[in-house]
Amino acid sequence: MTDRRGVVAKRAENLMPGVPYVRGWAQARRGADELAAQLTALGLEPDFPGLTADVNVSGDGLVRLGVVRPDAALILAELIVAGLAADTPTHVETLAQEAGSARRNSTAA
């Protein structure tokens, strides 16, 4: 089974020639390392013991969280929502400023 981005494609166990597995895995490793650093900073590293980099049959890097307790997944979801909420006002304000600037530039021309 594969979603439209190939994320849930079968993991690469038998490698095929011409598929960039190393590049995909290296990208996944960087992502997993950064996530591990953030989880460690929050004291949540023990809640994600299965965090690892992997690659699928298409050569796409995957970050596997492993099996986690429901409360650890809930904490991670709350952190994502909090981050999005903190980022959204800034992003909306930036878009509004860019739109105002574009309007001013088009009327000045």
Side-chain angles (χ1 to χ4, degrees), residues 2 10 17 23 28 35-36 54-55 61 64 68 81 87 90 93 100 106:
T2 303
K10 187 176 175 186
R23 182 175 46 208
L35 181 55
D54 204 346
V55 66
R64 295 184 178 271
V68 297
V81 169
D87 189 45
T90 304
E93 183 179 312
S106 67

Side-chain angles (χ1 to χ4, degrees), residues 93-109:
E93 183 179 312
T94 301
L95 290 175
Q97 288 173 351
E98 289 173 357
S101 176
R103 242 182 278 122
R104 284 190 298 277
N105 289 340
S106 67
T107 57

Side-chain angles (χ1 to χ4, degrees), residues 28-108:
R29 185 71 205 167
R30 286 189 299 275
D33 286 347
E34 180 59 32
L35 181 55
Q38 296 303 317
L39 291 171
T40 299
L42 294 167
L44 296 174
E45 184 181 18
D47 291 319
F48 295 87
L51 178 64
T52 187
D54 204 346
V55 66
N56 68 15
V57 294
S58 302
D60 301 318
L62 304 172
V63 175
R64 295 184 178 271
L65 298 179
V67 178
V68 297
R69 296 176 324 203
D71 59 329
L74 180 60
I75 291 169
L76 183 58
E78 289 171 350
L79 289 169
I80 291 169
V81 169
L84 288 172
D87 189 45
T88 300
T90 304
H91 182 66
V92 170
E93 183 179 312
T94 301
L95 290 175
Q97 288 173 351
E98 289 173 357
S101 176
R103 242 182 278 122
R104 284 190 298 277
N105 289 340
S106 67
T107 57

Side-chain angles (χ1 to χ4, degrees), residues 3-27:
D3 68 3
R4 63 187 168 86
R5 292 173 289 154
V7 174
V8 292
K10 187 176 175 186
R11 69 182 296 271
E13 293 177 354
N14 297 317
L15 305 182
M16 297 182 329
V19 179
Y21 296 110
V22 174
R23 182 175 46 208
W25 183 87
Q27 182 181 17

